[in-house]
Amino acid sequence: MLSNLINRLVLREAVLVAFIGLVILTLVPFGSVTPFPFAFAAIGMFVLAILSGLLFAQPRQSRWVFNIALSLLMALTGWAFIQTIELPAHWLANPAWGAARDLVGVQYAAISVEPADTLAAILWVALPFVTFLTGLILCDTDQRARKVLASLGLAAGVIAVFGLLQFSMLPNILIVIEKHAYVDSLTAVFVNRNTAATFLGMGTLLMLTLVRDIARSFSAHPPGEPGRNLLLLRTWIYILLLCACFTALMLSRSRAGIFATFVAALIYFPWLFINWNSSRRYLIPRQRWRSVLKLLSAMIFIVLLLSMFAGRAILRAQERRLEDDDRFCILPGIWRAISDHWLTGTGLGTFRTVFSAYRDPACGIFGIFDRAHNFYLEGFLGLGVIFPVATFLAFTVLARVFWRGLSERRRLRHYVLLGISATVLVALHSAVDFSLQIPGFAVFFSAFLSAAVAISLGRSHGEKDRLYGGPTPPATV
């Protein structure tokens, strides 16, 4: 009996390590935007999902989130599949098929204007959902969830260091190929600087959390005790990785990415600063003015950091007005396309085909817009009214999860704040860019969310969070 339990625990740890490794590996080849890396990531993640589902039970505390996410996955992919099939009497078929029938005699008619592209896009939607569901199964304890977050943070730090070295020594090279776009910006392992900024912003928040945890552990470690020097070394390494993430973020020159990170930092850093050394804040009354002073100091510090180190992005914002940005010039055309197909959509993954008919010539004739630079509008155009409903449900579930985490967690409450701030970062940036449509980042964020949700809902009724305990020990990787 004991040996079976040990074997099961070892097996779970092995699957968790494989899960973390696959998430990190999905980032490296340009965010897995090319077919072969994406296929490898999808096959690997689906295999891990099947293994996890067969070997381990559904998460007890987060089962309701698991069920809602699974239902959303089935609803979105099911509707996308329906968009590709020919319905009786051409019911709900896109009017473009009628024109095709008149011109070339095509008899097929479906909701999607490109059924093959829609079928291919189903896998791009399913991958982050499956990652999230697998993460919920594997993150059945706070320790495992923190291991996932620590691993993701360290991976972001290492990638930031790589990006800095490459940008400083080989600015015209992207990993191993010649860099053609965004030569003046640091993009790390991604092609687009905005995706890199979203990733590095999350990496900055994660590394800030790891620095806080290990610094508190070091301060509580008695001098002369074994392991203190190792803790000191790890503290400095974490601080350097934090600085690397922040510096790389600034060198990305992404206006929206830096601004979104700034908003997320205003949510997270003041609370972290106020409670940096306090493990008994619920037992010892504090003078309100001291907390207010610390809060204002932290906010001023964030503003000063932005003004001092985000100069290149601020200069870009001053040189180029919003109305001159192509992303905003094409918005009216996207809205016209949505108004014409708001109910059923034009088919998942068909933006490039559909938008060409709505493109305003005033926006220029050069370049092809294959994405909307707005995750929400592109999803609305592709899937129809089901997409905003699903998005609202997802945000509602996350709000309920994080609210419960804020209410019930004590020692690990900063991980709940981390989840909130990172979600705000990604949600804001998704309104002006397509980071969530890059498979590598989507998998990274899904794995992060699964761990943050697991911690938020991880408090059991039999094990109360300690109010008197010392600082939380750092998660091992």
Side-chain angles (χ1 to χ4, degrees):
M1 183 69 178
L2 181 59
S3 60
N4 290 337
L5 179 60
I6 294 175
N7 291 336
R8 193 175 183 82
L9 291 175
V10 171
L11 182 60
R12 183 183 283 272
E13 287 296 326
V15 176
L16 180 64
V17 170
F19 173 76
I20 294 171
L22 183 60
V23 170
I24 296 172
L25 190 61
T26 306
L27 291 167
V28 176
F30 316 113
S32 295
V33 293
T34 52
F36 180 75
F38 175 77
F40 176 82
I43 293 172
M45 191 59 68
F46 275 90
V47 169
L48 286 178
I50 294 172
L51 285 176
S52 301
L54 294 175
L55 296 174
F56 314 117
Q58 284 189 15
R60 182 169 57 90
Q61 294 289 339
S62 56
R63 180 173 299 176
W64 64 277
V65 179
F66 182 94
N67 292 333
I68 291 176
L70 183 60
S71 299
L72 277 177
L73 171 61
M74 295 175 63
L76 293 176
T77 56
W79 173 245
F81 178 75
I82 292 174
Q83 289 181 316
T84 66
I85 62 178
E86 188 173 12
L87 299 175
H90 295 170
W91 186 54
L92 297 178
N94 193 287
W97 288 105
R101 183 171 58 254
D102 296 336
L103 290 174
V104 294
V106 174
Q107 298 301 316
Y108 192 87
I111 295 174
S112 173
V113 298
E114 289 280 1
D117 289 348
T118 300
L119 281 175
I122 289 176
L123 194 58
W124 292 68
V125 173
L127 180 57
F129 271 95
V130 171
T131 303
F132 178 75
L133 295 172
T134 307
L136 284 182
I137 294 175
L138 296 176
C139 295
D140 60 327
T141 64
D142 288 343
Q143 182 182 7
R144 293 192 180 96
R146 294 175 63 202
K147 178 179 287 189
V148 171
L149 294 177
S151 301
L152 297 181
L154 292 175
V158 172
I159 290 175
V161 171
F162 168 79
L164 289 171
L165 293 175
Q166 182 175 247
F167 186 67
S168 60
M169 295 187 294
L170 299 169
N172 296 320
I173 299 297
L174 180 59
I175 305 181
V176 293
I177 65 173
E178 185 178 357
K179 188 176 184 178
H180 298 287
Y182 306 109
V183 180
D184 60 341
S185 303
L186 186 150
T187 60
V189 296
F190 300 97
V191 177
N192 187 281
R193 67 177 161 216
N194 296 297
T195 305
T198 315
F199 170 76
L200 293 168
M202 282 191 60
T204 302
L205 298 176
L206 281 164
M207 285 310 307
L208 181 61
T209 305
L210 296 182
V211 167
R212 186 257 190 186
D213 284 353
I214 198 168
R216 293 186 66 200
S217 296
F218 175 76
S219 63
H221 206 81
E225 289 289 326
R228 182 177 172 86
N229 291 335
L230 181 61
L231 270 179
L232 178 61
L233 176 62
R234 289 180 61 190
T235 301
W236 279 110
I237 291 175
Y238 284 15
I239 291 174
L240 289 176
L241 292 178
L242 169 62
C243 294
C245 285
F246 178 77
T247 304
L249 171 65
M250 296 298 109
L251 291 177
S252 71
R253 300 183 68 208
S254 170
R255 296 166 296 178
I258 293 174
F259 173 76
T261 304
F262 168 71
V263 174
L266 283 179
I267 295 173
Y268 187 46
F269 182 73
W271 188 94
L272 202 66
F273 179 69
I274 292 173
N275 299 276
W276 189 273
N277 292 315
S278 174
S279 60
R280 298 188 177 97
R281 69 181 295 265
Y282 296 98
L283 298 179
I284 302 176
R286 286 175 174 263
Q287 295 181 355
R288 185 176 297 273
W289 69 270
R290 292 182 60 187
S291 297
V292 173
L293 182 61
K294 283 190 174 184
L295 175 65
L296 293 176
S297 300
M299 296 178 68
I300 292 173
F301 176 74
I302 295 296
V303 173
L304 288 177
L305 277 182
L306 180 70
S307 60
M308 291 172 59
F309 295 102
R312 301 179 72 181
I314 295 174
L315 182 62
R316 281 191 64 234
Q318 293 174 342
E319 291 177 345
R320 190 173 187 180
R321 299 175 301 173
L322 291 180
E323 56 266 28
D324 296 331
D325 195 316
D326 292 340
R327 288 177 293 184
F328 297 95
C329 184
I330 67 173
L331 282 180
I334 298 174
W335 276 115
R336 289 196 302 272
I338 291 174
S339 64
D340 289 344
H341 308 91
W342 66 271
L343 181 60
T344 61
T346 60
L348 184 66
T350 61
F351 175 83
R352 178 172 177 166
T353 302
V354 173
F355 179 68
S356 58
Y358 294 88
R359 181 170 177 171
D360 187 351
C363 298
I365 61 174
F366 299 101
I368 298 174
F369 287 94
D370 55 357
R371 291 185 175 92
H373 289 272
N374 187 307
F375 171 75
Y376 310 107
L377 294 184
E378 185 166 342
F380 198 170
L381 176 61
L383 290 172
V385 72
I386 189 176
F387 181 80
V389 173
T391 302
F392 176 77
L393 177 60
F395 279 122
T396 302
V397 170
L398 287 177
R400 180 181 174 186
V401 167
F402 291 138
W403 178 259
R404 179 173 169 182
L406 290 175
S407 303
E408 297 189 359
R409 300 314 303 251
R410 294 296 181 265
R411 291 184 300 114
L412 300 183
R413 179 173 288 184
H414 60 292
Y415 282 98
V416 182
L417 266 295
L418 172 65
I420 294 173
S421 58
T423 301
V424 169
L425 190 164
V426 175
L428 284 177
H429 203 190
S430 295
V432 292
D433 212 78
F434 48 81
S435 296
L436 280 177
Q437 295 168 252
I438 304 301
F441 179 77
V443 167
F444 179 86
F445 181 62
S446 299
F448 167 87
L449 264 189
S450 66
V453 168
I455 290 177
S456 298
L457 301 177
R459 179 181 177 182
S460 65
H461 296 291
E463 295 178 3
K464 302 297 184 181
D465 285 336
R466 298 177 188 173
L467 300 183
Y468 295 92
T472 306
T476 56
V477 181

